[in-house]
Amino acid sequence: MKNLILTLAFLLLVSTFSIARNPDARGFDSIQANFKNPPADCWPHTRWWWPGNPVSKAEITHELEEMRAHGIRGVEQISMSEVYEKGNIPYLSDEFMEMLKHTVKEAKRLGMEVSLNFGGPGWIIGGAWVKEDEKSKDLVPTFIDLAGNQVYNGNLPDRLTKTKRSWEHFTPKLDGDETLLAVVAGKIENDGRISEKSLINLTATVSGNKINWKVPEGEWRLMAFWLKKNGISNAVDHFSKQAMENYCHFLGNKFYEAFGDEFGKTVESLFVDSFELPNLSSGINWSTGLLEAFRKEKGYDLTRYLPAIWWNVGEISPKIRFDVNEFLHETGLNVFFRTFLGWCEDHHIKGRIQAYGFNTDNIEASGKSHIPEMEITAGEKDAADWFDTRIGPKQYVASGAHLYGRKVVSAEVYTFIHWERYRETLEELKIASDGYLMAGATKFYNHGFNFSPEKIVSPTRSLPFAAYIQPQNVWWKYYPKLAEYIARSAYLLRQGDFTADIALYSPLANQWALNALNMRKWTREFEWGDLGELLISNGYNYDLINDDALQNLATVADGRLKVRTNEYKVLILPNVETIPLKTLEFIEKYVELGGIVIALERIPEKSTGLTDYRVSDNKVRELSNNLFNKPKQPEGKPVNLYGLNGSGIVDGIVMNPYGKGGTYRLKNVIDRQIWWDKRSSTLDPFLETIRKHIAPDFGIDFAYEGLRKNEGLTFIHRKLGEKDIYFVSNIQDKPNAVPVTFRVKNKVIREWNPYTGAITPVLSFCEVKDGIKVPLNLAPYESLFLEFSPGEPEAYVAKSEFIDVSATGNRGLKAVALQNGIYSLIIKTGSKEKKITTGVSGIPAPFLISGAWNMELKGENFPAVTRKSEELTSWIEDPLTRNFSGTGRYEINFTLSTGYFLKGLKLYLDLGKVGSIAEVSMNDQPLGITWMRGQKLEATHALKAGENKLVILVTNTLINRISAMKEPPPVPEDLVSRFGSGAVNQETPREFGFKPLPASGLIGPVRIITVKEVAVSF
């Protein structure tokens, strides 16, 4: 998959030329073997929806065999709402459990894994068996404003208030089934705030639902706080220990009794999806007894301060909100996570959890999960970029895994890759896959596979939010190409440890102080600006680091921040106003011992929590002022870290030496609303600040290459003993020829090809000041692995004008030239350097395959189209073929002269533009499959002088067919007796009438490209 050579057929010759004194020859065999043939756990798995559970043993076996044959090695079974009017099997019924037993038995036979959604139907953790008093609950407020100097003798307020939260279920008033927790009154000041000093706990004066209260002078707000059952779903109460224990015992034992002997083997995990608990009007997650639990944990009674959760009660509001959020975080960890994970551990099975959308700190909760899972698709809904550098749930989950020592990170992949289903191509899935791999995912769960006994797709009987990766898709035959790519990549990215330079402080404490109602979006709604892109695109990877890690796990050594195997060289505080005092005290220690801290936009000013908050606030302000404004020399030899004798301002950057380390303050990094605040990579003050202390791990010489920024060449770095492994991907729609400096010193380099499993030496590189500079010639969206190992190659090519160089042994090279001319290269052997110049001739011009193309389209419910044409055009340009979805056949005969068969020439077939997959044969010999742009097929062995026959099978996407539908297909006649003919889903699919349709078919131009292999001796 080089820019000119498809590595599906291209294997470089390996010789002792490149691996002399290379320790990789020892002790690396198992990793190499597993890379070529990855274990089952690394291959894609899939979410397997059973809508209404209309399953049979025969169909379960058939679908599992289809998956296994196409590279899917595991399923996550989840029951969903019905799509048929009859023939559905009730969840957890004896018949349903029999179907699950069969699933496990067949998966075991096929060498597949099974994961089970821990609830249902649907992804909420709950079910119809959950007792009413053990279902999810909310704490909701009601209020009424009263004029003073009167006696209010009346009912407690019962009107509920709607917020702007998208997940809120609004009802206008109480229904009378609530439990009153507290009644508090407070005086409303002129500015709308409620006076803290005025807060009165009136709970004891309530009789029934009435209160008799003499309202003091002024305007007052009477507030009642209720525990209300969340009747929106059958979700279990995530904050009740008894409810969670009963839930795990009931559902877990159902599964364990049925196939517990396969727990930890075929049945590898139980799954908790992203929580996505709906809230009631203005409600927050709560449970019975939490007010008393809060008092025990925080040391004060929350009752009087409850208004501060919803209303502005002056300076205590952020303190109360933080305490409530932190309390719910700890309670959620103790009650939900530890109960569920503990049950799993007791039964020898893993708990796999999407930890976001809940009250817990996503980083810590992910780290505590046996298998943390991420989602959020690059390019989602055609809104996000393919080169997706947003800081969100993926980064929080991966960081939790790194900080708490979880090796495997799973991912729900491809959800809403487009808003409309059936549009996705294999290439798009590969691009999105790289986004997950770069974020740290090493186990993929496709989203997904819709159980269906029907042979063709029906949009109203398919789940509405997913990529469609199953036999009914027209490109299903070719999915194994992507599956093996993912399997190899996931396997290699599990080796060793993630390496990052930057610890990016998680601003969760800041968010907790601002809002207690936004737990579903804490990880998404902090304004990061372009910070993620600034770091990644300029060669710096990062982990988000939370307060728990800084306070309880981190140490400082050699000026570096260490957490387990992670060593960070710079800590960034991203626009943080509020921070726990204990965290800031550790940061001060880190800087004093040589650490570097960069505060963006502002420095911390406030502490967290109500207890002694004024004292803590003063200490935070004092520490911040010292760290960022007052130089502090260490004992002994003075430090002049910045070329200054003290703190100072250079180019708007406030710099402050402190102990053995130092700090910076920069503005207009996250908040760059004005165009002139954005700088090119070479001149950006923020990047220059980091570069003072650490060179990029993945360095591009922007000035030399004439680039203002990196638009998609990206990386992830893992350390395996003395080896460095880099995964590199060109996530942009143009080729890359820009060399990259890898911040390593190891010079024995090998390329690991995730498409083919080939491992080949890299001979072209040079040593530079900051590492090893390697030329990277990558097609659009192409990717590869590079391994850097200790040792010294006998020789390598420090500079070359050839497009590729490989070894032939006996002090010989094989160089590849694209066109005729004079070529030179520089070979280094030890300390010696030799320049070799050679002439290349005899390369013919690219050959355009033209003439009469025979095209034939045959498909499901589509009248066959046969035509002969000298022009290649997209199917969508012709009304007769616009809505064809399937595989079209092209055939042409052409004559090739003897000039293309001279010694040393190699011939490659370039198909030009294809929509979207092509399977090619030349003279009845298979050449291979192209499924990504830029791929070229070696054809030397199949071509001949004289007449040749080229056959190309081109497969497009399902959306062409679906867009032409006016109404959904009926239930097939042979299934009506079993499932009925009525439509359960009455909504018109959004894919009907979709446009513009993607380019489909063979568009070309189709050419034969010639390169020449030249022998070079030295």
Side-chain angles (χ1 to χ4, degrees):
M1 314 273 292
K2 292 282 195 235
N3 204 14
L4 287 163
I5 297 174
L6 181 68
T7 51
L8 293 170
F10 183 63
L11 301 178
L12 293 173
L13 298 175
V14 182
S15 76
T16 56
F17 173 92
S18 63
I19 57 173
R21 298 188 296 279
N22 183 356
D24 285 342
R26 307 183 302 274
F28 211 43
D29 291 347
S30 63
I31 291 179
Q32 293 180 139
N34 284 334
F35 178 71
K36 293 176 181 178
N37 297 290
D41 183 55
C42 296
W43 287 78
H45 292 34
T46 189
R47 184 167 294 182
W48 192 16
W49 293 289
W50 291 8
N53 310 311
V55 297
S56 70
K57 290 184 177 180
E59 287 158 346
I60 287 171
T61 295
H62 170 71
E63 292 200 352
L64 287 173
E65 288 177 343
E66 277 285 323
M67 294 177 199
R68 179 63 176 80
H70 288 76
I72 294 174
R73 302 286 183 92
V75 295
E76 171 202 303
Q77 188 279 332
I78 178 170
S79 298
M80 300 295 286
S81 300
E82 296 89 350
V83 295
Y84 295 114
E85 63 177 350
K86 63 179 186 177
N88 302 298
I89 301 174
Y91 182 64
L92 296 187
S93 65
D94 290 344
E95 185 179 5
F96 175 84
M97 295 305 297
E98 186 62 30
M99 294 300 165
L100 275 190
K101 288 181 188 177
H102 181 76
T103 298
V104 173
K105 184 188 78 170
E106 288 295 88
K108 181 178 181 179
R109 176 179 68 85
L110 293 166
M112 299 174 69
E113 294 182 330
V114 175
S115 180
L116 299 170
N117 187 67
F118 204 57
W123 58 82
I124 295 294
I125 300 305
W129 65 89
V130 178
K131 298 175 184 177
E132 280 300 312
D133 61 346
E134 292 186 351
K135 289 183 179 179
S136 179
K137 304 172 184 65
D138 274 19
L139 175 61
V140 298
T142 59
F143 74 96
I144 185 173
D145 289 343
L146 301 170
N149 292 322
Q150 66 160 315
V151 174
Y152 178 75
N153 187 9
N155 291 330
L156 293 173
D158 64 357
R159 305 297 297 180
L160 294 165
T161 304
K162 180 177 176 58
T163 73
K164 295 180 180 179
R165 298 180 297 182
S166 61
W167 63 90
E168 184 172 282
H169 179 72
F170 175 67
T171 53
K173 61 184 298 186
L174 303 176
D175 59 18
D177 195 32
E178 296 78 15
T179 299
L180 179 66
L181 297 182
V183 177
V184 180
K187 186 177 182 180
I188 302 173
E189 304 284 10
N190 292 335
D191 59 3
R193 288 184 300 110
I194 295 175
S195 166
E196 175 198 347
K197 293 180 180 179
S198 72
L199 293 175
I200 311 170
N201 183 354
L202 298 174
T203 311
T205 67
V206 175
S207 177
N209 198 33
K210 294 183 178 292
I211 186 171
N212 187 299
W213 175 50
K214 184 177 180 181
V215 185
E217 182 179 353
E219 185 178 355
W220 288 75
R221 180 161 294 159
L222 181 66
M223 296 157 281
F225 302 93
W226 312 81
L227 187 64
K228 183 173 177 60
K229 293 176 183 176
N230 189 326
I232 305 164
S233 67
N234 287 320
V236 69
D237 187 338
H238 292 44
F239 293 89
S240 164
K241 184 75 171 175
Q242 187 64 57
M244 277 301 302
E245 287 177 347
N246 291 343
Y247 184 88
C248 291
H249 178 79
F250 175 84
L251 184 57
N253 283 3
K254 273 273 189 184
F255 295 150
Y256 190 74
E257 289 166 7
F259 34 76
D261 55 331
E262 289 300 323
F263 270 31
K265 293 179 280 188
T266 303
V267 185
E268 56 94 27
S269 67
L270 300 176
F271 176 58
V272 174
D273 207 335
S274 56
F275 289 76
E276 300 182 39
L277 288 168
N279 284 117
L280 301 172
S281 309
S282 297
I284 63 172
N285 296 331
W286 206 256
S287 187
T288 305
L290 288 196
L291 280 176
E292 176 60 21
F294 182 97
R295 184 188 64 77
K296 290 179 179 178
E297 181 170 319
K298 293 297 182 184
Y300 68 92
D301 187 353
L302 178 63
T303 306
R304 178 173 173 266
Y305 299 109
L306 283 170
I309 298 174
W310 288 271
W311 291 281
N312 182 353
V313 189
E315 63 183 3
I316 70 162
S317 280
K319 311 301 183 184
I320 297 296
R321 290 169 185 172
F322 175 88
D323 280 346
V324 168
N325 283 320
E326 187 181 51
F327 168 74
L328 290 175
H329 155 74
E330 291 291 348
T331 305
L333 276 182
N334 287 323
V335 172
F336 185 90
F337 281 81
R338 292 194 175 105
T339 303
F340 168 67
L341 294 170
W343 190 95
C344 290
E345 290 163 7
D346 290 343
H347 293 82
H348 313 293
I349 193 170
K350 292 178 180 176
R352 182 166 56 90
I353 305 178
Q354 292 182 4
Y356 35 90
F358 194 47
N359 299 81
T360 46
D361 168 16
N362 196 349
I363 295 174
E364 185 175 356
S366 295
K368 298 293 174 66
S369 303
H370 299 145
I371 305 176
E373 179 159 300
M374 63 174 67
E375 60 172 318
I376 307 302
T377 303
E380 62 178 335
K381 300 180 184 177
D382 298 294
D385 294 332
W386 286 126
F387 181 40
D388 186 6
T389 55
R390 293 174 296 173
I391 299 173
K394 286 187 292 195
Q395 287 70 29
Y396 281 81
V397 171
S399 299
H402 301 152
L403 294 171
Y404 294 87
R406 300 298 179 185
K407 285 289 188 182
V408 177
V409 178
S410 62
E412 172 195 311
V413 295
Y414 317 134
T415 310
F416 281 124
I417 189 169
H418 296 293
W419 182 248
E420 299 82 12
R421 297 164 295 174
Y422 318 121
R423 291 175 54 196
E424 65 280 347
T425 66
L426 274 188
E427 180 185 61
E428 289 177 327
L429 296 182
K430 188 271 181 189
I431 299 167
S433 297
D434 283 1
Y436 285 106
L437 294 167
M438 290 295 173
T442 56
K443 186 168 187 173
F444 280 41
Y445 281 85
N446 292 346
H447 198 269
F449 196 113
N450 199 95
F451 179 91
S452 177
E454 302 183 40
K455 298 300 182 284
I456 62 172
V457 62
S458 174
T460 55
R461 294 187 290 278
S462 302
L463 273 291
F465 31 64
Y468 198 68
I469 308 172
Q470 58 189 86
Q472 293 86 343
N473 202 319
V474 293
W475 48 249
W476 172 245
K477 171 184 177 182
Y478 302 107
Y479 175 74
K481 292 294 181 187
L482 177 61
E484 64 181 344
Y485 168 83
I486 290 169
R488 292 192 184 100
S489 300
Y491 173 75
L492 200 53
L493 287 172
R494 293 187 190 184
Q495 310 311 309
D497 296 299
F498 174 70
T499 299
D501 295 318
I502 308 295
L504 181 56
Y505 176 67
S506 166
L508 188 57
N510 195 84
Q511 301 304 92
W512 279 354
L514 294 174
N515 195 328
L517 276 68
N518 203 32
M519 53 87 187
R520 286 271 293 270
K521 291 192 175 182
W522 280 327
T523 61
R524 300 195 192 195
E525 290 196 346
F526 182 80
E527 183 52 63
W528 292 100
D530 294 330
L531 185 57
E533 180 182 0
L534 278 169
L535 292 172
I536 292 294
S537 66
N538 289 283
Y540 295 103
N541 220 323
Y542 63 90
D543 267 328
L544 289 153
I545 190 164
N546 60 348
D547 291 301
D548 179 64
L550 288 171
Q551 294 177 17
N552 301 311
L553 302 177
T555 59
V556 182
D558 302 320
R560 298 187 177 188
L561 181 61
K562 296 189 176 185
V563 181
R564 299 186 188 274
T565 60
N566 311 283
E567 292 189 8
Y568 309 103
K569 304 166 185 69
V570 173
L571 173 66
I572 295 176
L573 303 181
N575 199 12
V576 172
E577 179 184 28
T578 300
I579 192 169
L581 174 60
K582 189 175 178 181
T583 296
L584 192 58
E585 287 173 338
F586 175 83
I587 292 172
E588 193 258 356
K589 172 187 170 185
Y590 162 66
V591 177
E592 188 156 16
L593 293 176
I596 300 299
V597 174
I598 302 174
L600 304 180
E601 314 306 336
R602 66 181 308 149
I603 60 176
E605 297 177 11
K606 298 178 181 178
S607 67
T608 56
L610 184 67
T611 302
D612 295 329
Y613 74 90
R614 289 191 175 91
V615 173
S616 296
D617 279 357
N618 287 334
K619 288 182 178 179
V620 165
R621 282 190 288 268
E622 181 182 4
L623 265 178
S624 281
N625 189 46
N626 290 340
L627 276 170
F628 295 98
N629 293 323
K630 295 180 180 179
K632 178 181 180 180
Q633 294 292 345
E635 295 180 5
K637 186 178 179 180
V639 172
N640 189 2
L641 187 67
Y642 310 99
L644 301 171
N645 294 321
S647 59
I649 301 177
V650 176
D651 295 331
I653 303 171
V654 180
M655 304 178 288
N656 192 51
Y658 195 91
K660 296 179 180 178
T663 66
Y664 297 84
R665 277 191 292 147
L666 288 84
K667 292 190 175 182
N668 302 324
V669 176
I670 291 177
D671 184 13
R672 290 183 168 180
Q673 298 180 10
I674 304 174
W675 64 267
W676 58 71
D677 288 331
K678 297 184 178 183
R679 310 287 180 85
S680 66
S681 290
T682 53
L683 301 176
D684 190 286
F686 170 63
L687 297 172
E688 278 294 284
T689 301
I690 298 176
R691 287 193 284 252
K692 285 181 181 179
H693 300 279
I694 183 71
D697 192 18
F698 186 80
I700 296 172
D701 190 339
F702 292 98
Y704 181 84
E705 300 296 336
L707 298 174
R708 293 181 64 82
K709 61 183 292 190
N710 172 14
E711 296 180 336
L713 187 63
T714 189
F715 78 106
I716 187 171
H717 179 189
R718 296 187 72 83
K719 190 80 174 172
L720 178 60
E722 293 184 301
K723 300 177 186 292
D724 292 275
I725 298 172
Y726 286 83
F727 177 53
V728 179
S729 185
N730 183 36
I731 308 180
Q732 54 188 331
D733 60 1
K734 60 187 178 184
N736 174 78
V738 174
V740 168
T741 298
F742 296 85
R743 199 184 61 218
V744 296
K745 296 302 180 185
N746 294 336
K747 292 191 289 186
V748 176
I749 310 172
R750 297 193 296 175
E751 177 184 332
W752 296 52
N753 187 319
Y755 306 90
T756 67
I759 303 172
T760 56
V762 174
L763 303 183
S764 294
F765 63 89
C766 64
E767 289 185 89
V768 294
K769 174 178 167 243
D770 293 323
I772 304 296
K773 192 172 188 177
V774 181
L776 291 178
N777 293 304
L778 295 169
Y781 305 112
E782 186 185 359
S783 49
L784 55 78
F785 286 88
L786 291 176
E787 167 211 342
F788 297 81
S789 293
E792 186 77 22
E794 281 189 330
Y796 62 91
V797 179
K799 188 173 182 180
S800 172
E801 294 172 346
F802 292 97
I803 62 170
D804 198 65
V805 179
S806 60
T808 61
N810 299 320
R811 296 180 68 83
L813 294 174
K814 181 172 62 179
V816 180
L818 177 61
Q819 58 192 15
N820 298 318
I822 304 299
Y823 288 79
S824 64
L825 47 77
I826 297 174
I827 298 175
K828 292 199 72 172
T829 54
S831 60
K832 297 180 180 179
E833 195 171 275
K834 182 177 182 180
K835 182 175 182 179
I836 298 175
T837 301
T838 186
V840 176
S841 61
I843 302 177
F847 179 83
L848 177 66
I849 298 176
S850 60
W853 288 87
N854 293 299
M855 183 190 76
E856 183 180 32
L857 304 183
K858 289 182 180 179
E860 197 75 44
N861 299 323
F862 183 85
V865 173
T866 302
R867 68 177 50 150
K868 181 177 286 190
S869 174
E870 295 193 358
E871 184 180 2
L872 294 172
T873 59
S874 173
W875 298 339
I876 68 170
E877 295 180 18
D878 185 339
L880 290 177
T881 59
R882 177 179 301 143
N883 296 113
F884 173 76
S885 291
T887 300
R889 185 180 190 275
Y890 294 81
E891 181 177 331
I892 192 171
N893 293 329
F894 63 95
T895 300
L896 203 58
S897 71
T898 57
Y900 286 86
F901 297 91
L902 300 177
K903 183 180 178 181
L905 295 182
K906 298 197 80 170
L907 308 177
Y908 293 87
L909 183 66
D910 178 1
L911 298 180
K913 186 173 180 62
V914 178
S916 62
I917 301 170
E919 183 176 358
V920 184
S921 67
M922 185 77 72
N923 297 323
D924 298 322
Q925 295 187 53
L927 294 189
I929 297 162
T930 68
W931 54 283
M932 293 187 65
R933 70 192 77 182
Q935 291 180 331
K936 296 166 180 66
L937 299 167
E938 186 180 350
T940 313
H941 65 288
L943 284 164
K944 60 186 179 181
E947 188 170 279
N948 294 270
K949 182 180 75 171
L950 173 61
V951 176
I952 306 171
L953 304 178
V954 178
T955 302
N956 66 340
T957 56
L958 267 175
I959 190 62
N960 299 54
R961 182 196 307 168
I962 304 298
S963 69
M965 290 182 177
K966 304 297 182 185
E967 56 185 35
V971 176
E973 281 297 322
D974 61 328
L975 297 176
V976 169
S977 61
R978 179 177 163 194
F979 298 124
S981 58
V984 174
N985 180 6
Q986 302 288 339
E987 293 184 11
T988 300
R990 55 182 173 268
E991 295 82 9
F992 286 11
F994 172 78
K995 58 183 180 181
L997 293 173
S1000 298
L1002 180 64
I1003 301 165
V1006 180
R1007 302 180 302 161
I1008 293 173
I1009 294 175
T1010 311
V1011 300
K1012 188 169 185 178
E1013 295 181 340
V1014 180
V1016 179
S1017 298
F1018 62 95

